Coordinates of all heavy atoms in Angstrom, one line a residue:
M1 N 152.2 220.0 -106.0 CA 153.2 219.1 -105.3 C 153.2 219.3 -103.8 O 153.2 218.4 -103.0 CB 154.6 219.4 -105.9 CG 155.7 218.5 -105.4 SD 155.5 216.9 -106.1 CE 157.0 216.2 -105.7
N2 N 153.2 220.6 -103.3 CA 153.1 220.8 -101.9 C 151.9 220.3 -101.2 O 152.0 219.8 -100.1 CB 153.3 222.3 -101.6 CG 154.7 222.8 -101.8 OD1 155.6 222.0 -101.7 ND2 154.8 224.1 -102.0
C3 N 150.8 220.4 -101.9 CA 149.5 219.8 -101.4 C 149.7 218.3 -101.2 O 149.2 217.7 -100.2 CB 148.4 220.1 -102.3 SG 147.8 221.8 -102.2
R4 N 150.3 217.7 -102.1 CA 150.5 216.2 -102.0 C 151.3 215.8 -100.8 O 151.0 214.9 -100.1 CB 151.1 215.7 -103.3 CG 151.1 214.2 -103.4 CD 151.8 213.7 -104.7 NE 150.8 213.5 -105.7 CZ 151.1 213.2 -106.9 NH1 152.4 213.1 -107.3 NH2 150.2 213.0 -107.8
V5 N 152.4 216.6 -100.6 CA 153.3 216.3 -99.5 C 152.6 216.6 -98.2 O 152.6 215.8 -97.3 CB 154.6 217.2 -99.6 CG1 155.4 217.1 -98.3 CG2 155.4 216.8 -100.8
Y6 N 151.8 217.7 -98.2 CA 151.0 218.0 -97.0 C 150.0 216.9 -96.7 O 149.9 216.4 -95.5 CB 150.3 219.3 -97.1 CG 149.4 219.6 -96.0 CD1 149.9 220.1 -94.8 CD2 148.0 219.5 -96.1 CE1 149.1 220.4 -93.7 CE2 147.2 219.7 -95.1 CZ 147.7 220.2 -93.9 OH 146.8 220.4 -92.8
L7 N 149.3 216.4 -97.7 CA 148.3 215.4 -97.5 C 149.0 214.1 -97.0 O 148.5 213.4 -96.1 CB 147.6 215.1 -98.8 CG 146.5 214.1 -98.8 CD1 145.4 214.5 -97.9 CD2 145.9 213.9 -100.2
N8 N 150.1 213.7 -97.6 CA 150.8 212.5 -97.2 C 151.3 212.6 -95.7 O 151.1 211.7 -95.0 CB 152.0 212.2 -98.1 CG 151.6 211.6 -99.5 OD1 150.5 211.1 -99.6 ND2 152.4 211.8 -100.5
L9 N 151.8 213.8 -95.4 CA 152.3 214.0 -94.0 C 151.1 213.9 -93.0 O 151.2 213.3 -92.0 CB 153.0 215.3 -93.9 CG 154.4 215.3 -94.3 CD1 155.0 216.7 -94.3 CD2 155.3 214.4 -93.5
S10 N 150.0 214.5 -93.4 CA 148.8 214.5 -92.6 C 148.3 213.0 -92.4 O 147.9 212.6 -91.3 CB 147.7 215.3 -93.3 OG 146.5 215.3 -92.5
I11 N 148.3 212.2 -93.4 CA 147.9 210.8 -93.4 C 148.8 210.1 -92.4 O 148.4 209.3 -91.6 CB 147.8 210.2 -94.8 CG1 146.7 210.8 -95.6 CG2 147.7 208.7 -94.6 CD1 146.7 210.4 -97.0
I12 N 150.1 210.3 -92.6 CA 151.1 209.6 -91.7 C 150.9 210.0 -90.3 O 151.0 209.2 -89.4 CB 152.6 210.0 -92.2 CG1 152.8 209.3 -93.5 CG2 153.6 209.6 -91.2 CD1 154.1 209.8 -94.2
I13 N 150.7 211.3 -90.0 CA 150.5 211.7 -88.6 C 149.2 211.1 -88.0 O 149.2 210.7 -86.9 CB 150.4 213.3 -88.6 CG1 151.8 213.8 -88.8 CG2 149.9 213.8 -87.2 CD1 151.9 215.3 -89.0
D14 N 148.2 211.1 -88.8 CA 146.9 210.4 -88.4 C 147.2 209.0 -88.0 O 146.7 208.5 -87.0 CB 145.8 210.5 -89.4 CG 145.2 211.9 -89.5 OD1 145.4 212.7 -88.6 OD2 144.6 212.2 -90.6
R15 N 147.9 208.3 -88.9 CA 148.2 206.9 -88.6 C 149.0 206.7 -87.3 O 148.8 205.8 -86.5 CB 148.9 206.2 -89.8 CG 148.0 206.0 -91.0 CD 148.8 205.4 -92.1 NE 147.9 205.1 -93.3 CZ 148.4 204.7 -94.4 NH1 149.7 204.4 -94.6 NH2 147.5 204.5 -95.4
L16 N 150.0 207.6 -87.2 CA 150.8 207.5 -86.0 C 150.0 207.8 -84.7 O 150.1 207.1 -83.7 CB 151.9 208.5 -86.0 CG 153.1 208.2 -86.9 CD1 154.1 209.4 -87.1 CD2 153.9 207.0 -86.3
E17 N 149.1 208.8 -84.8 CA 148.2 209.0 -83.6 C 147.3 207.8 -83.3 O 147.2 207.5 -82.1 CB 147.4 210.3 -83.9 CG 148.2 211.6 -83.8 CD 147.3 212.8 -84.1 OE1 146.2 212.6 -84.7 OE2 147.7 213.9 -83.8
T18 N 146.8 207.2 -84.3 CA 146.0 206.0 -84.1 C 146.8 204.9 -83.5 O 146.3 204.2 -82.6 CB 145.4 205.6 -85.5 OG1 144.6 206.6 -86.0 CG2 144.5 204.3 -85.3
S19 N 148.0 204.7 -84.0 CA 148.9 203.7 -83.5 C 149.2 203.9 -82.0 O 149.2 203.0 -81.2 CB 150.2 203.6 -84.3 OG 149.9 203.1 -85.6
F20 N 149.5 205.2 -81.7 CA 149.9 205.5 -80.3 C 148.7 205.2 -79.4 O 148.8 204.7 -78.3 CB 150.3 206.9 -80.2 CG 151.7 207.2 -80.7 CD1 152.0 208.3 -81.4 CD2 152.8 206.3 -80.4 CE1 153.3 208.5 -81.9 CE2 154.0 206.5 -80.9 CZ 154.3 207.6 -81.7
T21 N 147.5 205.6 -79.8 CA 146.3 205.4 -79.1 C 146.0 203.9 -78.8 O 145.7 203.5 -77.7 CB 145.0 206.0 -79.8 OG1 145.3 207.4 -79.9 CG2 143.8 205.8 -79.0
Q22 N 146.2 203.1 -79.9 CA 146.0 201.7 -79.8 C 147.0 201.1 -78.8 O 146.7 200.2 -78.0 CB 146.1 201.0 -81.1 CG 144.9 201.3 -82.0 CD 145.1 200.8 -83.4 OE1 146.2 200.5 -83.9 NE2 144.0 200.7 -84.2
I23 N 148.3 201.5 -78.9 CA 149.3 201.0 -78.0 C 149.0 201.4 -76.5 O 149.2 200.6 -75.6 CB 150.7 201.5 -78.4 CG1 151.1 200.9 -79.7 CG2 151.8 201.3 -77.3 CD1 152.4 201.5 -80.4
Q24 N 148.6 202.6 -76.3 CA 148.2 203.0 -75.0 C 147.1 202.2 -74.4 O 147.1 201.7 -73.3 CB 147.8 204.5 -74.9 CG 149.0 205.5 -75.0 CD 148.5 206.9 -75.0 OE1 147.5 207.2 -75.6 NE2 149.2 207.7 -74.3
Q25 N 146.0 201.9 -75.2 CA 144.9 201.1 -74.8 C 145.3 199.7 -74.5 O 145.0 199.1 -73.5 CB 143.8 201.1 -75.9 CG 142.5 200.4 -75.4 CD 141.9 201.0 -74.2 OE1 141.7 202.2 -74.2 NE2 141.6 200.2 -73.2
F26 N 146.2 199.1 -75.4 CA 146.7 197.8 -75.2 C 147.5 197.7 -73.9 O 147.3 196.8 -73.1 CB 147.6 197.3 -76.4 CG 148.2 196.0 -76.2 CD1 147.5 194.8 -76.4 CD2 149.6 195.9 -75.8 CE1 148.1 193.6 -76.2 CE2 150.2 194.7 -75.6 CZ 149.4 193.6 -75.8
T27 N 148.3 198.6 -73.7 CA 149.2 198.7 -72.4 C 148.3 198.8 -71.2 O 148.5 198.0 -70.2 CB 150.1 199.8 -72.5 OG1 151.0 199.7 -73.6 CG2 151.0 199.9 -71.3
S28 N 147.3 199.6 -71.3 CA 146.3 199.7 -70.2 C 145.6 198.4 -69.9 O 145.4 198.0 -68.8 CB 145.3 200.9 -70.5 OG 144.4 201.0 -69.5
D29 N 145.1 197.8 -71.0 CA 144.4 196.5 -70.8 C 145.2 195.4 -70.3 O 144.8 194.7 -69.4 CB 143.8 196.1 -72.2 CG 142.7 197.0 -72.7 OD1 142.2 197.8 -71.9 OD2 142.4 196.9 -73.9
V30 N 146.5 195.3 -70.8 CA 147.4 194.3 -70.3 C 147.7 194.5 -68.8 O 147.7 193.6 -68.0 CB 148.7 194.2 -71.1 CG1 149.7 193.4 -70.5 CG2 148.3 193.7 -72.5
S31 N 148.0 195.8 -68.5 CA 148.3 196.1 -67.1 C 147.2 195.7 -66.2 O 147.4 195.2 -65.1 CB 148.6 197.6 -67.0 OG 148.8 198.0 -65.7
H32 N 145.9 196.0 -66.6 CA 144.8 195.7 -65.7 C 144.7 194.2 -65.6 O 144.4 193.7 -64.4 CB 143.5 196.3 -66.4 CG 142.3 195.8 -65.7 ND1 141.9 196.3 -64.5 CD2 141.3 194.9 -66.1 CE1 140.7 195.7 -64.1 NE2 140.4 194.9 -65.1
E33 N 144.8 193.5 -66.6 CA 144.7 192.0 -66.6 C 145.8 191.4 -65.7 O 145.5 190.5 -64.9 CB 144.8 191.4 -68.0 CG 143.6 191.7 -68.9 CD 142.3 191.1 -68.3 OE1 142.3 190.0 -67.7 OE2 141.3 191.8 -68.5
L34 N 147.0 191.9 -65.7 CA 148.1 191.4 -64.9 C 147.8 191.7 -63.4 O 148.0 190.9 -62.5 CB 149.4 192.0 -65.3 CG 150.0 191.4 -66.6 CD1 151.2 192.2 -67.0 CD2 150.3 189.9 -66.5
R35 N 147.4 193.0 -63.2 CA 147.1 193.4 -61.8 C 146.0 192.5 -61.2 O 146.1 192.1 -60.0 CB 146.7 194.9 -61.7 CG 147.9 195.8 -61.6 CD 147.5 197.2 -61.2 NE 146.3 197.7 -62.0 CZ 146.4 198.4 -63.1 NH1 147.6 198.7 -63.6 NH2 145.3 198.9 -63.7
T36 N 145.0 192.3 -62.0 CA 143.9 191.4 -61.5 C 144.3 190.0 -61.1 O 144.0 189.5 -60.1 CB 142.7 191.4 -62.5 OG1 142.3 192.7 -62.8 CG2 141.6 190.6 -62.1
S37 N 145.1 189.4 -62.0 CA 145.6 188.1 -61.8 C 146.5 188.0 -60.6 O 146.4 187.1 -59.8 CB 146.3 187.6 -63.1 OG 145.4 187.5 -64.1
L38 N 147.4 189.0 -60.5 CA 148.3 189.0 -59.4 C 147.6 189.2 -58.1 O 148.0 188.7 -57.0 CB 149.4 190.1 -59.6 CG 150.4 189.8 -60.7 CD1 151.3 191.0 -61.0 CD2 151.2 188.6 -60.4
T39 N 146.6 190.1 -58.1 CA 145.8 190.3 -56.9 C 145.1 189.0 -56.4 O 145.1 188.7 -55.2 CB 144.8 191.4 -57.1 OG1 145.5 192.6 -57.4 CG2 143.9 191.7 -55.8
I40 N 144.5 188.3 -57.3 CA 143.9 187.0 -57.0 C 144.9 186.0 -56.4 O 144.7 185.4 -55.4 CB 143.2 186.4 -58.2 CG1 142.0 187.3 -58.6 CG2 142.8 185.0 -58.0 CD1 141.4 187.0 -60.0
M41 N 146.1 185.9 -57.1 CA 147.1 185.0 -56.6 C 147.6 185.4 -55.2 O 147.8 184.5 -54.4 CB 148.3 184.9 -57.6 CG 147.9 184.1 -58.9 SD 149.4 183.7 -59.9 CE 149.8 185.3 -60.5
R42 N 147.8 186.7 -55.0 CA 148.2 187.1 -53.7 C 147.2 186.8 -52.6 O 147.6 186.3 -51.5 CB 148.5 188.6 -53.7 CG 149.0 189.1 -52.4 CD 149.4 190.5 -52.4 NE 149.9 190.9 -51.1 CZ 150.3 192.1 -50.8 NH1 150.3 193.0 -51.7 NH2 150.8 192.3 -49.6
G43 N 145.9 187.0 -52.9 CA 144.9 186.6 -52.0 C 144.9 185.1 -51.6 O 144.8 184.7 -50.5
E44 N 145.0 184.3 -52.7 CA 145.1 182.9 -52.5 C 146.3 182.5 -51.6 O 146.2 181.6 -50.8 CB 145.0 182.1 -53.8 CG 143.7 182.3 -54.5 CD 143.7 181.7 -55.9 OE1 144.8 181.3 -56.4 OE2 142.6 181.6 -56.5
L45 N 147.4 183.1 -51.9 CA 148.6 182.8 -51.1 C 148.5 183.2 -49.7 O 148.9 182.5 -48.8 CB 149.9 183.5 -51.8 CG 150.4 182.8 -53.0 CD1 151.4 183.7 -53.7 CD2 151.0 181.5 -52.8
D46 N 147.9 184.4 -49.5 CA 147.6 184.8 -48.1 C 146.8 183.8 -47.3 O 147.1 183.5 -46.2 CB 147.0 186.2 -48.1 CG 147.9 187.3 -48.5 OD1 149.2 187.1 -48.4 OD2 147.5 188.4 -48.8
V47 N 145.7 183.4 -48.0 CA 144.8 182.4 -47.3 C 145.6 181.1 -47.0 O 145.5 180.5 -45.9 CB 143.6 182.1 -48.2 CG1 142.8 180.9 -47.7 CG2 142.7 183.4 -48.3
A48 N 146.4 180.6 -48.0 CA 147.2 179.4 -47.8 C 148.1 179.6 -46.6 O 148.3 178.6 -45.8 CB 147.9 179.0 -49.1
L49 N 148.8 180.7 -46.6 CA 149.7 180.9 -45.5 C 149.0 181.0 -44.1 O 149.6 180.4 -43.1 CB 150.5 182.2 -45.7 CG 151.6 182.2 -46.8 CD1 152.1 183.6 -47.1 CD2 152.7 181.2 -46.4
I50 N 147.9 181.6 -44.1 CA 147.1 181.7 -42.8 C 146.7 180.3 -42.4 O 146.9 179.9 -41.2 CB 145.9 182.6 -42.9 CG1 146.4 184.0 -43.0 CG2 144.9 182.4 -41.8 CD1 145.3 185.0 -43.5
R51 N 146.2 179.5 -43.3 CA 145.9 178.1 -43.0 C 147.1 177.3 -42.5 O 147.0 176.5 -41.5 CB 145.2 177.4 -44.2 CG 143.9 177.9 -44.5 CD 143.3 177.1 -45.7 NE 142.0 177.7 -46.0 CZ 141.4 177.5 -47.2 NH1 142.0 176.8 -48.1 NH2 140.2 178.0 -47.4
N52 N 148.2 177.5 -43.2 CA 149.4 176.7 -42.8 C 149.9 177.1 -41.4 O 150.2 176.3 -40.6 CB 150.5 177.0 -43.8 CG 151.7 176.1 -43.6 OD1 151.6 175.0 -43.2 ND2 152.9 176.6 -44.0
R53 N 149.8 178.4 -41.1 CA 150.2 178.8 -39.8 C 149.3 178.3 -38.7 O 149.7 177.9 -37.6 CB 150.2 180.4 -39.7 CG 151.3 181.0 -40.4 CD 151.3 182.5 -40.3 NE 152.3 183.1 -41.2 CZ 152.0 184.2 -42.0 NH1 150.9 184.8 -41.9 NH2 152.9 184.6 -42.8
K54 N 148.0 178.2 -39.0 CA 147.0 177.7 -38.0 C 147.3 176.2 -37.8 O 147.3 175.7 -36.7 CB 145.6 177.9 -38.5 CG 145.1 179.3 -38.4 CD 143.7 179.5 -38.8 CE 143.2 180.9 -38.7 NZ 141.8 181.1 -39.2
Q55 N 147.5 175.5 -38.9 CA 147.8 174.0 -38.8 C 149.1 173.8 -38.0 O 149.2 172.9 -37.2 CB 147.9 173.4 -40.1 CG 146.6 173.3 -40.8 CD 146.7 172.8 -42.3 OE1 147.8 172.6 -42.8 NE2 145.6 172.5 -42.9
H56 N 150.1 174.7 -38.2 CA 151.4 174.5 -37.6 C 151.2 174.8 -36.1 O 151.8 174.1 -35.2 CB 152.4 175.5 -38.2 CG 153.8 175.4 -37.6 ND1 154.6 174.3 -37.9 CD2 154.5 176.2 -36.8 CE1 155.7 174.5 -37.3 NE2 155.7 175.6 -36.6
K57 N 150.4 175.8 -35.7 CA 150.1 176.1 -34.3 C 149.4 174.9 -33.6 O 149.7 174.6 -32.5 CB 149.3 177.3 -34.1 CG 150.1 178.6 -34.4 CD 149.3 179.8 -34.2 CE 150.1 181.1 -34.4 NZ 149.3 182.3 -34.2
V58 N 148.5 174.3 -34.3 CA 147.7 173.2 -33.7 C 148.6 172.0 -33.5 O 148.6 171.3 -32.5 CB 146.5 172.8 -34.7 CG1 145.9 171.4 -34.3 CG2 145.5 173.9 -34.7
K59 N 149.5 171.7 -34.4 CA 150.5 170.6 -34.3 C 151.4 170.8 -33.1 O 151.8 169.9 -32.4 CB 151.3 170.4 -35.6 CG 150.4 169.8 -36.7 CD 151.3 169.6 -37.9 CE 150.5 169.0 -39.1 NZ 151.2 168.9 -40.3
K60 N 151.9 172.1 -32.9 CA 152.8 172.4 -31.9 C 152.1 172.6 -30.5 O 152.7 172.6 -29.5 CB 153.6 173.6 -32.2 CG 154.6 173.4 -33.3 CD 155.7 174.4 -33.1 CE 156.9 174.0 -33.9 NZ 158.1 174.6 -33.4
G61 N 150.8 172.7 -30.6 CA 150.0 172.8 -29.3 C 150.0 174.2 -28.8 O 149.8 174.4 -27.6
Y62 N 150.0 175.2 -29.6 CA 150.0 176.6 -29.2 C 148.6 177.0 -28.9 O 147.7 177.0 -29.4 CB 150.6 177.6 -30.2 CG 152.1 177.4 -30.3 CD1 152.8 176.3 -29.8 CD2 152.8 178.5 -30.9 CE1 154.2 176.2 -30.0 CE2 154.2 178.4 -31.0 CZ 154.9 177.3 -30.6 OH 156.2 177.2 -30.7

């Protein structure tokens, strides 16, 4: 009986460790994807703002 309980607990712990590892990997992957997308958007916004400022200066004659 004790061996059965030990075996079941061992299986449960292994499954939990696997689940935690998968969750950590998923979180890392999602974080990377979000950072990449946000970095691209920020770069595009910076370029758009610079262009807008240059056009504004040209219109005002600076």
Side-chain angles (χ1 to χ4, degrees):
M1 185 73 165
N2 282 338
C3 285
R4 188 183 267 176
V5 170
Y6 174 78
L7 182 61
N8 285 337
L9 281 174
S10 180
I11 291 170
I12 290 169
I13 290 170
D14 286 342
R15 287 180 179 175
L16 282 170
E17 287 177 343
T18 300
S19 294
F20 287 137
T21 301
Q22 289 173 343
I23 289 169
Q24 282 179 322
Q25 185 62 50
F26 174 77
T27 302
S28 176
D29 292 346
V30 168
S31 177
H32 173 74
E33 292 298 323
L34 287 173
R35 276 194 309 270
T36 300
S37 298
L38 290 173
T39 299
I40 291 168
M41 286 191 293
R42 182 175 181 182
E44 291 174 352
L45 286 171
D46 287 344
V47 169
L49 286 172
I50 290 169
R51 286 181 183 161
N52 189 30
R53 287 182 192 137
K54 285 181 181 179
Q55 289 174 355
H56 186 70
K57 285 181 180 180
V58 169
K59 287 181 182 177
K60 286 206 165 200
Y62 290 18

